[in-house]
Amino acid sequence: MSIPLLSTLIFFPILGGLSLLIVPRQQTATIKIMALIISLVEFLLCLPIVLLFDKSTYVMQFREVYPWITALNINYALGIDGISVLFLLLTALIIVLSILVSWEAITTKVQEFFVALLILEGAMIGVFCATDFFLFYIFWEAMLIPMFLIIGVWGGPNRIYATVKFFLYTLVGSLLMLVGIILLYQNGGHTFDILKLAGQPYSLKLQLILFWAFFAAFAVKVPMWPVHTWLPDAHTEAPAAGSVILAGVLIKMGAYGFLRFSLPILPDATQQMMLPMLILSVIAIVYGAIICLAQTDLKRLIAYSSVSHMGFVTLGLFALNQHGLEGGILQMINHGVVTGALFLAIGMVYERTHTREIVAYGGLASTMPVFAGFFLLFTLAAVGLPGTNGFIGEFLILLGSFERQPWTAVIASSGLILGAWYMLWLYQRIFFNEVKEKMHGLVELNLREILTLVPMVLLIFWIGLYPNALLGFLHVSVGHLLDQVHGVGLAGPVVNSLLHP
């Protein structure tokens, strides 16, 4: 009997988190150490899945299918392909770093905080593994509960407003997605099996209805313009770990939903709605970048930059060609690494200064030179400097969008210029100029904080210098996805020669 690796990945952190409730709440050191050990073991459990993964096939691997609610033909069904496997590793890493950055930052209800983090990890991994639509929806909704608590209990002074806004936006989208799931069940042979649903013929009218039902949930989660306004508030009020998880994993769920459901199950509607989706993506890129220039709060600036960067992701996905799709998926990983690293760094400096107002900063390059070096690397990766991970993803996205609609690539390129403007200007204001009053005598990063940031630095250069380490997982699965959409894979010879030496 084979080991249920995916179920282990899902339920180990959930059960591990619940086991923390056995420890007396006053033993905070023990709780933190246990949470860290659980998250590290979870990360190690992901490694054999990645190493044993067969890149030569698009077929779902490590499958687990068990009857669940037989009256409705609902199964407990799990599986991963070349698209979802990368997100398992990213999620596990993000949780480890979130625990480390919360080590001293969380001082109240410590036990409950780490329980919520670990339960959230299991639910997020469940989203990436589910191949039954009903099971997917269960995990999709389950992950919102601990995230709601993390922002609402351990967030900033306006946390209630931010949490309610986050809840209402996601609730409305999720309810419309539920309607879409029921419609799909009724018209797809009374099954919730995602693989079977993707092979059924649907009328264009039904596909368009379903596309917009799913769009309501996935666009909010990305978030796409104009349903993005919950994100800056959630990021601003969330604790550092909450912001890292939001940026690193949670907002990727929306783009993943488009990949897993909208494109393969609703191919005709996807092609019909391609141009509107490209337009919305370009608006998000430019709008998010321009709004960043007006921000005075560190976290709000990075939050709006996420709107712009995720616009690049959806631009690549709806270019509907090999370059665009691979670039979009790669950029989802890159954004999780770079923006997650920026929120980690902001959380560390906030612990020392207790302010996020950019105007209060200045001269940190002289008071915290090691921190300044880390932040510079993250800044350069965010603007897509060649050699960093941000470059190759944006390059493929622009190449794919140019192949599809050249004008979208031209306009989107302005987002790169604006991105360099607001990020370098931010760096200049924080780390140079005169040392502001609150910045005197700041303590340099300690060993725990350095160890938290180092994995992100390694990933930035590893992906940037050897992108095929990740792209190798995507080629076959993306090609199959394109076959499902319109039967054509459009890999160009120039980049192929670079990526497949």
PDB file of all heavy atoms in Angstrom, residues 293-322:
ATOM      1  N   LEU A 293       3.201  55.335  -6.099  1.00  0.00           N
ATOM      2  CA  LEU A 293       3.953  56.590  -6.001  1.00  0.00           C
ATOM      3  C   LEU A 293       3.332  57.559  -5.007  1.00  0.00           C
ATOM      4  O   LEU A 293       3.995  58.496  -4.554  1.00  0.00           O
ATOM      5  CB  LEU A 293       4.044  57.245  -7.388  1.00  0.00           C
ATOM      6  CG  LEU A 293       4.886  56.492  -8.419  1.00  0.00           C
ATOM      7  CD1 LEU A 293       4.678  57.074  -9.813  1.00  0.00           C
ATOM      8  CD2 LEU A 293       6.366  56.544  -8.039  1.00  0.00           C
ATOM      9  N   ALA A 294       2.055  57.346  -4.677  1.00  0.00           N
ATOM     10  CA  ALA A 294       1.367  58.268  -3.771  1.00  0.00           C
ATOM     11  C   ALA A 294       1.294  57.758  -2.334  1.00  0.00           C
ATOM     12  O   ALA A 294       0.756  58.443  -1.468  1.00  0.00           O
ATOM     13  CB  ALA A 294      -0.047  58.523  -4.291  1.00  0.00           C
ATOM     14  N   GLN A 295       1.843  56.577  -2.069  1.00  0.00           N
ATOM     15  CA  GLN A 295       1.700  55.978  -0.738  1.00  0.00           C
ATOM     16  C   GLN A 295       2.693  56.552   0.266  1.00  0.00           C
ATOM     17  O   GLN A 295       3.840  56.857  -0.074  1.00  0.00           O
ATOM     18  CB  GLN A 295       1.866  54.461  -0.821  1.00  0.00           C
ATOM     19  CG  GLN A 295       0.814  53.780  -1.674  1.00  0.00           C
ATOM     20  CD  GLN A 295      -0.599  54.159  -1.290  1.00  0.00           C
ATOM     21  OE1 GLN A 295      -1.004  54.035  -0.124  1.00  0.00           O
ATOM     22  NE2 GLN A 295      -1.361  54.629  -2.267  1.00  0.00           N
ATOM     23  N   THR A 296       2.234  56.677   1.502  1.00  0.00           N
ATOM     24  CA  THR A 296       3.089  57.152   2.595  1.00  0.00           C
ATOM     25  C   THR A 296       3.352  56.050   3.622  1.00  0.00           C
ATOM     26  O   THR A 296       4.165  56.233   4.526  1.00  0.00           O
ATOM     27  CB  THR A 296       2.429  58.343   3.313  1.00  0.00           C
ATOM     28  OG1 THR A 296       1.151  57.931   3.844  1.00  0.00           O
ATOM     29  CG2 THR A 296       2.210  59.502   2.344  1.00  0.00           C
ATOM     30  N   ASP A 297       2.655  54.913   3.489  1.00  0.00           N
ATOM     31  CA  ASP A 297       2.793  53.788   4.410  1.00  0.00           C
ATOM     32  C   ASP A 297       3.565  52.675   3.707  1.00  0.00           C
ATOM     33  O   ASP A 297       3.245  52.298   2.574  1.00  0.00           O
ATOM     34  CB  ASP A 297       1.402  53.302   4.831  1.00  0.00           C
ATOM     35  CG  ASP A 297       1.451  52.178   5.843  1.00  0.00           C
ATOM     36  OD1 ASP A 297       1.837  51.050   5.459  1.00  0.00           O
ATOM     37  OD2 ASP A 297       1.078  52.398   7.009  1.00  0.00           O
ATOM     38  N   LEU A 298       4.571  52.135   4.388  1.00  0.00           N
ATOM     39  CA  LEU A 298       5.420  51.090   3.797  1.00  0.00           C
ATOM     40  C   LEU A 298       4.611  49.898   3.301  1.00  0.00           C
ATOM     41  O   LEU A 298       4.777  49.447   2.167  1.00  0.00           O
ATOM     42  CB  LEU A 298       6.434  50.609   4.839  1.00  0.00           C
ATOM     43  CG  LEU A 298       7.764  51.342   4.965  1.00  0.00           C
ATOM     44  CD1 LEU A 298       8.511  50.843   6.195  1.00  0.00           C
ATOM     45  CD2 LEU A 298       8.592  51.115   3.712  1.00  0.00           C
ATOM     46  N   LYS A 299       3.734  49.382   4.145  1.00  0.00           N
ATOM     47  CA  LYS A 299       3.008  48.171   3.781  1.00  0.00           C
ATOM     48  C   LYS A 299       1.982  48.436   2.686  1.00  0.00           C
ATOM     49  O   LYS A 299       1.750  47.590   1.822  1.00  0.00           O
ATOM     50  CB  LYS A 299       2.341  47.551   5.016  1.00  0.00           C
ATOM     51  CG  LYS A 299       3.340  46.964   6.004  1.00  0.00           C
ATOM     52  CD  LYS A 299       2.662  46.304   7.181  1.00  0.00           C
ATOM     53  CE  LYS A 299       2.178  44.912   6.860  1.00  0.00           C
ATOM     54  NZ  LYS A 299       1.685  44.191   8.060  1.00  0.00           N
ATOM     55  N   ARG A 300       1.354  49.612   2.705  1.00  0.00           N
ATOM     56  CA  ARG A 300       0.384  49.924   1.653  1.00  0.00           C
ATOM     57  C   ARG A 300       1.077  50.046   0.298  1.00  0.00           C
ATOM     58  O   ARG A 300       0.521  49.652  -0.738  1.00  0.00           O
ATOM     59  CB  ARG A 300      -0.373  51.207   1.979  1.00  0.00           C
ATOM     60  CG  ARG A 300      -1.389  51.069   3.084  1.00  0.00           C
ATOM     61  CD  ARG A 300      -2.234  52.317   3.248  1.00  0.00           C
ATOM     62  NE  ARG A 300      -3.288  52.361   2.240  1.00  0.00           N
ATOM     63  CZ  ARG A 300      -4.468  51.758   2.355  1.00  0.00           C
ATOM     64  NH1 ARG A 300      -4.755  51.026   3.433  1.00  0.00           N
ATOM     65  NH2 ARG A 300      -5.376  51.867   1.404  1.00  0.00           N
ATOM     66  N   LEU A 301       2.293  50.571   0.294  1.00  0.00           N
ATOM     67  CA  LEU A 301       3.032  50.682  -0.969  1.00  0.00           C
ATOM     68  C   LEU A 301       3.311  49.291  -1.545  1.00  0.00           C
ATOM     69  O   LEU A 301       3.070  49.040  -2.736  1.00  0.00           O
ATOM     70  CB  LEU A 301       4.331  51.447  -0.750  1.00  0.00           C
ATOM     71  CG  LEU A 301       5.129  51.824  -2.018  1.00  0.00           C
ATOM     72  CD1 LEU A 301       5.940  53.099  -1.771  1.00  0.00           C
ATOM     73  CD2 LEU A 301       6.068  50.720  -2.470  1.00  0.00           C
ATOM     74  N   ILE A 302       3.792  48.380  -0.698  1.00  0.00           N
ATOM     75  CA  ILE A 302       4.083  47.030  -1.185  1.00  0.00           C
ATOM     76  C   ILE A 302       2.793  46.307  -1.551  1.00  0.00           C
ATOM     77  O   ILE A 302       2.759  45.511  -2.500  1.00  0.00           O
ATOM     78  CB  ILE A 302       4.880  46.236  -0.132  1.00  0.00           C
ATOM     79  CG1 ILE A 302       6.171  46.976   0.250  1.00  0.00           C
ATOM     80  CG2 ILE A 302       5.232  44.852  -0.663  1.00  0.00           C
ATOM     81  CD1 ILE A 302       7.092  47.255  -0.920  1.00  0.00           C
ATOM     82  N   ALA A 303       1.702  46.607  -0.836  1.00  0.00           N
ATOM     83  CA  ALA A 303       0.414  45.986  -1.154  1.00  0.00           C
ATOM     84  C   ALA A 303      -0.060  46.405  -2.540  1.00  0.00           C
ATOM     85  O   ALA A 303      -0.509  45.569  -3.341  1.00  0.00           O
ATOM     86  CB  ALA A 303      -0.624  46.364  -0.098  1.00  0.00           C
ATOM     87  N   TYR A 304       0.022  47.695  -2.845  1.00  0.00           N
ATOM     88  CA  TYR A 304      -0.387  48.158  -4.172  1.00  0.00           C
ATOM     89  C   TYR A 304       0.568  47.654  -5.252  1.00  0.00           C
ATOM     90  O   TYR A 304       0.159  47.436  -6.396  1.00  0.00           O
ATOM     91  CB  TYR A 304      -0.487  49.678  -4.212  1.00  0.00           C
ATOM     92  CG  TYR A 304      -1.817  50.200  -3.722  1.00  0.00           C
ATOM     93  CD1 TYR A 304      -1.923  50.870  -2.501  1.00  0.00           C
ATOM     94  CD2 TYR A 304      -2.971  50.016  -4.476  1.00  0.00           C
ATOM     95  CE1 TYR A 304      -3.147  51.345  -2.048  1.00  0.00           C
ATOM     96  CE2 TYR A 304      -4.198  50.486  -4.029  1.00  0.00           C
ATOM     97  CZ  TYR A 304      -4.281  51.147  -2.822  1.00  0.00           C
ATOM     98  OH  TYR A 304      -5.502  51.600  -2.376  1.00  0.00           O
ATOM     99  N   SER A 305       1.828  47.454  -4.888  1.00  0.00           N
ATOM    100  CA  SER A 305       2.749  46.864  -5.864  1.00  0.00           C
ATOM    101  C   SER A 305       2.328  45.446  -6.200  1.00  0.00           C
ATOM    102  O   SER A 305       2.544  44.961  -7.321  1.00  0.00           O
ATOM    103  CB  SER A 305       4.189  46.889  -5.328  1.00  0.00           C
ATOM    104  OG  SER A 305       4.422  45.859  -4.385  1.00  0.00           O
ATOM    105  N   SER A 306       1.693  44.752  -5.245  1.00  0.00           N
ATOM    106  CA  SER A 306       1.183  43.398  -5.513  1.00  0.00           C
ATOM    107  C   SER A 306       0.070  43.430  -6.544  1.00  0.00           C
ATOM    108  O   SER A 306      -0.039  42.523  -7.377  1.00  0.00           O
ATOM    109  CB  SER A 306       0.672  42.754  -4.217  1.00  0.00           C
ATOM    110  OG  SER A 306       1.737  42.460  -3.344  1.00  0.00           O
ATOM    111  N   VAL A 307      -0.772  44.461  -6.487  1.00  0.00           N
ATOM    112  CA  VAL A 307      -1.832  44.608  -7.489  1.00  0.00           C
ATOM    113  C   VAL A 307      -1.205  44.716  -8.871  1.00  0.00           C
ATOM    114  O   VAL A 307      -1.650  44.084  -9.834  1.00  0.00           O
ATOM    115  CB  VAL A 307      -2.706  45.835  -7.182  1.00  0.00           C
ATOM    116  CG1 VAL A 307      -3.732  46.062  -8.300  1.00  0.00           C
ATOM    117  CG2 VAL A 307      -3.407  45.675  -5.833  1.00  0.00           C
ATOM    118  N   SER A 308      -0.137  45.507  -8.974  1.00  0.00           N
ATOM    119  CA  SER A 308       0.552  45.691 -10.251  1.00  0.00           C
ATOM    120  C   SER A 308       1.230  44.406 -10.705  1.00  0.00           C
ATOM    121  O   SER A 308       1.089  43.980 -11.856  1.00  0.00           O
ATOM    122  CB  SER A 308       1.589  46.813 -10.130  1.00  0.00           C
ATOM    123  OG  SER A 308       2.221  47.065 -11.357  1.00  0.00           O
ATOM    124  N   HIS A 309       1.937  43.744  -9.805  1.00  0.00           N
ATOM    125  CA  HIS A 309       2.661  42.526 -10.171  1.00  0.00           C
ATOM    126  C   HIS A 309       1.715  41.376 -10.513  1.00  0.00           C
ATOM    127  O   HIS A 309       1.995  40.597 -11.427  1.00  0.00           O
ATOM    128  CB  HIS A 309       3.601  42.111  -9.046  1.00  0.00           C
ATOM    129  CG  HIS A 309       4.820  42.971  -8.933  1.00  0.00           C
ATOM    130  ND1 HIS A 309       5.770  43.040  -9.921  1.00  0.00           N
ATOM    131  CD2 HIS A 309       5.256  43.806  -7.949  1.00  0.00           C
ATOM    132  CE1 HIS A 309       6.735  43.879  -9.555  1.00  0.00           C
ATOM    133  NE2 HIS A 309       6.440  44.351  -8.372  1.00  0.00           N
ATOM    134  N   MET A 310       0.598  41.268  -9.786  1.00  0.00           N
ATOM    135  CA  MET A 310      -0.357  40.213 -10.114  1.00  0.00           C
ATOM    136  C   MET A 310      -1.079  40.525 -11.425  1.00  0.00           C
ATOM    137  O   MET A 310      -1.593  39.612 -12.089  1.00  0.00           O
ATOM    138  CB  MET A 310      -1.359  40.033  -8.971  1.00  0.00           C
ATOM    139  CG  MET A 310      -0.739  39.424  -7.710  1.00  0.00           C
ATOM    140  SD  MET A 310       0.076  37.823  -7.983  1.00  0.00           S
ATOM    141  CE  MET A 310      -1.325  36.782  -8.367  1.00  0.00           C
ATOM    142  N   GLY A 311      -1.108  41.801 -11.821  1.00  0.00           N
ATOM    143  CA  GLY A 311      -1.595  42.145 -13.154  1.00  0.00           C
ATOM    144  C   GLY A 311      -0.722  41.516 -14.232  1.00  0.00           C
ATOM    145  O   GLY A 311      -1.227  41.054 -15.265  1.00  0.00           O
ATOM    146  N   PHE A 312       0.583  41.492 -13.988  1.00  0.00           N
ATOM    147  CA  PHE A 312       1.483  40.801 -14.918  1.00  0.00           C
ATOM    148  C   PHE A 312       1.148  39.311 -14.984  1.00  0.00           C
ATOM    149  O   PHE A 312       1.180  38.693 -16.058  1.00  0.00           O
ATOM    150  CB  PHE A 312       2.938  40.980 -14.483  1.00  0.00           C
ATOM    151  CG  PHE A 312       3.586  42.225 -15.000  1.00  0.00           C
ATOM    152  CD1 PHE A 312       3.765  43.321 -14.174  1.00  0.00           C
ATOM    153  CD2 PHE A 312       4.016  42.320 -16.319  1.00  0.00           C
ATOM    154  CE1 PHE A 312       4.356  44.480 -14.644  1.00  0.00           C
ATOM    155  CE2 PHE A 312       4.614  43.472 -16.803  1.00  0.00           C
ATOM    156  CZ  PHE A 312       4.785  44.558 -15.965  1.00  0.00           C
ATOM    157  N   VAL A 313       0.833  38.717 -13.833  1.00  0.00           N
ATOM    158  CA  VAL A 313       0.515  37.286 -13.797  1.00  0.00           C
ATOM    159  C   VAL A 313      -0.706  36.985 -14.665  1.00  0.00           C
ATOM    160  O   VAL A 313      -0.673  36.098 -15.524  1.00  0.00           O
ATOM    161  CB  VAL A 313       0.268  36.826 -12.344  1.00  0.00           C
ATOM    162  CG1 VAL A 313      -0.330  35.420 -12.320  1.00  0.00           C
ATOM    163  CG2 VAL A 313       1.569  36.860 -11.548  1.00  0.00           C
ATOM    164  N   THR A 314      -1.802  37.726 -14.455  1.00  0.00           N
ATOM    165  CA  THR A 314      -3.014  37.458 -15.243  1.00  0.00           C
ATOM    166  C   THR A 314      -2.803  37.822 -16.712  1.00  0.00           C
ATOM    167  O   THR A 314      -3.397  37.201 -17.597  1.00  0.00           O
ATOM    168  CB  THR A 314      -4.219  38.218 -14.670  1.00  0.00           C
ATOM    169  OG1 THR A 314      -3.909  39.615 -14.535  1.00  0.00           O
ATOM    170  CG2 THR A 314      -4.617  37.653 -13.315  1.00  0.00           C
ATOM    171  N   LEU A 315      -1.953  38.808 -16.990  1.00  0.00           N
ATOM    172  CA  LEU A 315      -1.623  39.128 -18.384  1.00  0.00           C
ATOM    173  C   LEU A 315      -0.973  37.928 -19.056  1.00  0.00           C
ATOM    174  O   LEU A 315      -1.301  37.583 -20.197  1.00  0.00           O
ATOM    175  CB  LEU A 315      -0.682  40.337 -18.435  1.00  0.00           C
ATOM    176  CG  LEU A 315      -0.231  40.796 -19.831  1.00  0.00           C
ATOM    177  CD1 LEU A 315      -1.413  41.331 -20.627  1.00  0.00           C
ATOM    178  CD2 LEU A 315       0.876  41.845 -19.723  1.00  0.00           C
ATOM    179  N   GLY A 316      -0.063  37.275 -18.362  1.00  0.00           N
ATOM    180  CA  GLY A 316       0.589  36.095 -18.916  1.00  0.00           C
ATOM    181  C   GLY A 316      -0.367  34.929 -19.079  1.00  0.00           C
ATOM    182  O   GLY A 316      -0.363  34.249 -20.107  1.00  0.00           O
ATOM    183  N   LEU A 317      -1.222  34.704 -18.066  1.00  0.00           N
ATOM    184  CA  LEU A 317      -2.131  33.561 -18.128  1.00  0.00           C
ATOM    185  C   LEU A 317      -3.099  33.688 -19.291  1.00  0.00           C
ATOM    186  O   LEU A 317      -3.371  32.709 -20.003  1.00  0.00           O
ATOM    187  CB  LEU A 317      -2.915  33.428 -16.813  1.00  0.00           C
ATOM    188  CG  LEU A 317      -2.115  33.206 -15.526  1.00  0.00           C
ATOM    189  CD1 LEU A 317      -3.062  32.890 -14.376  1.00  0.00           C
ATOM    190  CD2 LEU A 317      -1.087  32.097 -15.682  1.00  0.00           C
ATOM    191  N   PHE A 318      -3.638  34.895 -19.509  1.00  0.00           N
ATOM    192  CA  PHE A 318      -4.655  35.057 -20.543  1.00  0.00           C
ATOM    193  C   PHE A 318      -4.064  35.445 -21.893  1.00  0.00           C
ATOM    194  O   PHE A 318      -4.821  35.714 -22.830  1.00  0.00           O
ATOM    195  CB  PHE A 318      -5.719  36.042 -20.081  1.00  0.00           C
ATOM    196  CG  PHE A 318      -6.660  35.435 -19.087  1.00  0.00           C
ATOM    197  CD1 PHE A 318      -6.409  35.537 -17.721  1.00  0.00           C
ATOM    198  CD2 PHE A 318      -7.751  34.704 -19.511  1.00  0.00           C
ATOM    199  CE1 PHE A 318      -7.253  34.942 -16.804  1.00  0.00           C
ATOM    200  CE2 PHE A 318      -8.600  34.108 -18.603  1.00  0.00           C
ATOM    201  CZ  PHE A 318      -8.361  34.220 -17.237  1.00  0.00           C
ATOM    202  N   ALA A 319      -2.743  35.444 -22.018  1.00  0.00           N
ATOM    203  CA  ALA A 319      -2.140  35.467 -23.349  1.00  0.00           C
ATOM    204  C   ALA A 319      -2.386  34.138 -24.046  1.00  0.00           C
ATOM    205  O   ALA A 319      -2.341  34.035 -25.269  1.00  0.00           O
ATOM    206  CB  ALA A 319      -0.641  35.754 -23.256  1.00  0.00           C
ATOM    207  N   LEU A 320      -2.649  33.110 -23.246  1.00  0.00           N
ATOM    208  CA  LEU A 320      -3.016  31.779 -23.753  1.00  0.00           C
ATOM    209  C   LEU A 320      -1.987  31.223 -24.732  1.00  0.00           C
ATOM    210  O   LEU A 320      -2.327  30.665 -25.776  1.00  0.00           O
ATOM    211  CB  LEU A 320      -4.405  31.821 -24.411  1.00  0.00           C
ATOM    212  CG  LEU A 320      -5.572  32.239 -23.506  1.00  0.00           C
ATOM    213  CD1 LEU A 320      -6.883  32.193 -24.267  1.00  0.00           C
ATOM    214  CD2 LEU A 320      -5.633  31.373 -22.261  1.00  0.00           C
ATOM    215  N   ASN A 321      -0.714  31.400 -24.409  1.00  0.00           N
ATOM    216  CA  ASN A 321       0.341  30.732 -25.166  1.00  0.00           C
ATOM    217  C   ASN A 321       1.406  30.248 -24.192  1.00  0.00           C
ATOM    218  O   ASN A 321       1.374  30.577 -22.995  1.00  0.00           O
ATOM    219  CB  ASN A 321       0.932  31.650 -26.250  1.00  0.00           C
ATOM    220  CG  ASN A 321       1.401  32.988 -25.709  1.00  0.00           C
ATOM    221  OD1 ASN A 321       1.945  33.072 -24.614  1.00  0.00           O
ATOM    222  ND2 ASN A 321       1.181  34.046 -26.473  1.00  0.00           N
ATOM    223  N   GLN A 322       2.342  29.457 -24.686  1.00  0.00           N
ATOM    224  CA  GLN A 322       3.319  28.798 -23.813  1.00  0.00           C
ATOM    225  C   GLN A 322       4.153  29.803 -23.034  1.00  0.00           C
ATOM    226  O   GLN A 322       4.349  29.664 -21.829  1.00  0.00           O
ATOM    227  CB  GLN A 322       4.235  27.891 -24.639  1.00  0.00           C
ATOM    228  CG  GLN A 322       5.077  26.931 -23.807  1.00  0.00           C
ATOM    229  CD  GLN A 322       4.385  25.605 -23.542  1.00  0.00           C
ATOM    230  OE1 GLN A 322       3.416  25.263 -24.195  1.00  0.00           O
ATOM    231  NE2 GLN A 322       4.881  24.859 -22.566  1.00  0.00           N
TER     232      GLN A 322
END
